[in-house]
Amino acid sequence: YINLPTTDTERIRSFWTAVGAGIDEDFSDENSVCVELTDSTFAMYLSPGFYTDFIGAREIADCLTTNSALMALTVGDAAAVDALADRAVELGAAEVPLPEDLREEMADSGMHSREIVDPDGHQWEFVTA
């Protein structure tokens, strides 16, 4: 489980289901939404009040202006990477372009990757190798 703050659980639910992810309703309520990204990878988006229950007195980072983490999801092939990234961008995610030399280096090693920023500012990488 990856735990992330969200200011709008319904917005993040709509975003990820439109991208094609599932929702585990057993772990979702008005303060959280559990997004099933793969059979064994879940992103638990928590409202700010609920999120602070887990982090104590530390301040929640504003991920719209500051990057705190880069989460990578391995998907089937380059076409799947592109389909996920394209769909996410259609739904309002911002794409983070990789430098050309990095893309070439990755391609030479058989990798294909695209980076997106979700509506809460969390950065995701869809990658295949």
Side-chain angles (χ1 to χ4, degrees):
Y1 281 85
I2 301 165
N3 292 281
L4 302 167
T6 183
T7 57
D8 188 335
T9 55
E10 286 307 310
R11 179 191 64 216
I12 210 68
R13 172 191 291 271
S14 296
F15 173 78
W16 280 109
T17 55
V19 170
I23 302 296
D24 186 337
E25 296 297 346
D26 290 336
F27 296 101
S28 300
D29 60 24
E30 67 278 355
N31 290 309
S32 63
V33 61
C34 183
V35 180
E36 185 176 0
L37 300 165
T38 71
D39 289 342
S40 62
T41 306
F42 298 83
M44 194 72 166
Y45 283 86
L46 308 171
S47 67
F50 193 36
Y51 190 78
T52 57
D53 288 347
F54 296 96
I55 65 168
R58 295 177 59 207
E59 186 176 337
I60 297 173
D62 179 356
C63 292
L64 294 173
T65 61
T66 304
N67 185 316
S68 61
L70 170 60
M71 285 77 62
L73 295 173
T74 303
V75 298
D77 57 20
V81 167
D82 290 337
L84 282 169
D86 289 344
R87 182 70 178 138
V89 169
E90 287 172 14
L91 295 165
E95 184 161 7
V96 179
L98 297 175
E100 186 61 34
D101 61 332
L102 178 57
R103 288 176 44 164
E104 289 173 6
E105 183 179 317
M106 291 172 75
D108 288 345
S109 69
M111 293 178 70
H112 180 67
S113 173
R114 302 237 335 248
E115 314 270 332
I116 63 104
V117 177
D118 76 18
D120 285 308
H122 304 294
Q123 190 164 340
W124 294 90
E125 176 182 30
F126 302 128
V127 63
T128 189

